[in-house]
Amino acid sequence: MNPSDERPIRLKEFISLMHLYRPSIWLIVLALFLVLIETALSLAVPLLTMTFVDLTVESNFSGTTAVLIACAFIAQIALSGVSIYIMIYIGQILVTNLRKDLWYRVLRLPVYFYDQNSSGETMSRITHDTNVIKSFFTDQLIPFLSSTLKIIGSIVILFALNWSITLLLLFIVPISLAILKPLGKKTYKVSKSLQDETASFQGDLGRVLSDIRLVKSSIAEEAETIQGNDRINKLLKHGLDTGKIMAIISPIMTTITLLVLVVVFGYGGVQVANGILSAGTLVAIVFYMFQIMPPISQIGHFFTQLQKAKGATERINIILNEQLEADLTSRPPFKKKTETGNCTSGIQFDNVSFSYPNNNNILENVNFSANTSELTAIVGPSGAGKTTLFSLIERFYQPSKGKITYDKQCVNDYDVQDWRLNIAYVAQDSPLMSGSIRYNLTYGLNTHSTDSEIRVAIDKANLTSFIDSLPEGIETEVGERGILVSGGQRQRLAIARAILRDPRILLLDEATAHLDSHSEILVQEALNQLMFSRTTLVIAHRLSTVQHANKLVVVQNGEVTGEGTHNDLIQHHQFYQELVANQLYKQETPQLSN
Ligand SMILES: Nc1ncnc2c1ncn2[C@@H]1O[C@H](COP(=O)(O)OP(=O)(O)OP(=O)(O)O)[C@@H](O)[C@H]1O
């Protein structure tokens, strides 16, 4: 997901992103209008001060001018406050709209996007990069406009007041730029490295903290400490590099300011003494000089931040330009579950080939059918492609060749969400979300499940005694990723969830693997009931659980090498015979542990 470094980051992309997510244009116009008035007032204050000083020097104290200066100050402060708030408001709305769109999209991006991009990086796009854009809008854009106006306005007025001092002042600008520009480039490079390093450090933190058990059981604390320290040291180095640049820039800036003061007061003082310049004009010139200085450094900062904002845009655009699942295939709503009875033929794999990106063909011309109201078991060695078959049915990936049909219609013809609504998947390591048991059982269901429906599902999944033993029953929290419940309990919760979903297609990945033999019989009964009038596919690692299946499909190296009942295969299929013999041998051999 790293944006290509060679490609120039285009301003157009950044502007169109701002345009797309900004709030009403009138708010922006209002903010600009206020800035314009505020700038005009700030330019008028020194002129008023000049008049006031000159009149006072001539012993002509002007109360009106003093009041005008005070009013201009107050108005400037008030307008500045209002325009700052409006800009912050616009920035917040912009980033909110952008984050909502990104959030909508990350939930709908295809699974292969997540195979290729780390979740930590995607999180950073939504939180950090959007923040960079917001800060640019709120902290840079309006100050940049007002700074530019202030600089131009001040220089014009300065020329009108005294061209020779102005020329001397302007002479300092190219000198400052010549010194500061290379430093500015260096600052950008260092701050970019600092950002990248911070993102990597955050990524490492996320990786280690989310798998702390793996770290501990692998005794990887020492290795992680070294890697973490290495990153922290790099952060220190980048921090110190920034410090070095600041250590050069700050004294230079102070010296330049002093130099300007020496020039203005020295040369201007001589002119006042000679009667060429009035005292009021000198005060006005110093005033303008101080008004110009912060905007000049503000403009330098603006370009550095613009680079950052353009970089953030480029990374965000990677997500925004990625095709959503629903755009890859489409379409009409899937028939309602009540219409299931119409389905006569179940799932059919029709010459399906598939490979993951940057991988060889995982599936090669796969043909088999899984009929309605039947149990079809997929058996085969590890890595043969069994789970991949399920992923294709769920449409996490698209076949590179061939098609999958349901009820004789290509599954891609159905709206992807409607299609998945009709599938329940019970995986070996059934994942749970942090939240209560009730939340997990009804997760994603778009119809409300009553307490009695939930009770029935719990009962059928043989979970009643477990849930009744919990102090808060169904409202008990399962912890992050369901860490507070056992593997077997997680699996039974997944079965209960499948029962509640009442799907047309059941995908079971060794669904009873974590159960003791007594629970397995009970859950198997529940599954048998659930399988009735549904298309059920089960990946089986233990043949004992699927010997009774209507059909077994043997997958080896991504190809279907045999199909039939247990009795058919045991007679004709050599690999299946070996598999059965192997498992029978295993059952007879004492196991190390259960
Ligand atoms: N997301 C992925 N990206 C790239 N390759 C993958 C991905 N998922 C699986 N593979 C590869 O595809 C092949 C088939 O994997 P799959 O998980 O379908 O096998 P399986 O038969 O279910 O294995 P097991 O019985 O061990 O679960 C493996 O070689 C695996 O490395």
Side-chain angles (χ1 to χ4, degrees), residues 111-112 115 354-360 362-363 378 380-391 397 428 509 539-541 555:
V111 169
Y112 65 71
D115 289 347
F354 172 75
S355 61
Y356 291 102
N358 312 324
N359 217 329
N360 297 331
I362 299 293
L363 299 177
I378 317 281
S382 175
K386 303 181 295 292
T387 310
T388 306
L389 290 174
F390 276 18
S391 297
Y397 305 95
Q428 252 188 65
D509 189 351
I539 295 176
H541 301 277
V555 181

Side-chain angles (χ1 to χ4, degrees), residues 352-401:
V352 170
S353 297
F354 172 75
S355 61
Y356 291 102
N358 312 324
N359 217 329
N360 297 331
N361 250 11
I362 299 293
L363 299 177
E364 192 82 57
N365 291 328
V366 169
N367 285 294
F368 74 89
S369 58
N371 299 330
T372 321
S373 308
E374 282 190 10
L375 171 64
T376 306
I378 317 281
V379 293
S382 175
K386 303 181 295 292
T387 310
T388 306
L389 290 174
F390 276 18
S391 297
L392 290 181
I393 294 173
E394 290 218 72
R395 287 171 59 190
F396 290 156
Y397 305 95
Q398 287 297 311
S400 47
K401 220 179 83 193

Side-chain angles (χ1 to χ4, degrees), residues 543-555:
L543 295 178
S544 58
T545 59
V546 290
Q547 278 179 8
H548 62 284
N550 302 84
K551 185 194 282 180
L552 290 115
V553 178
V554 186
V555 181

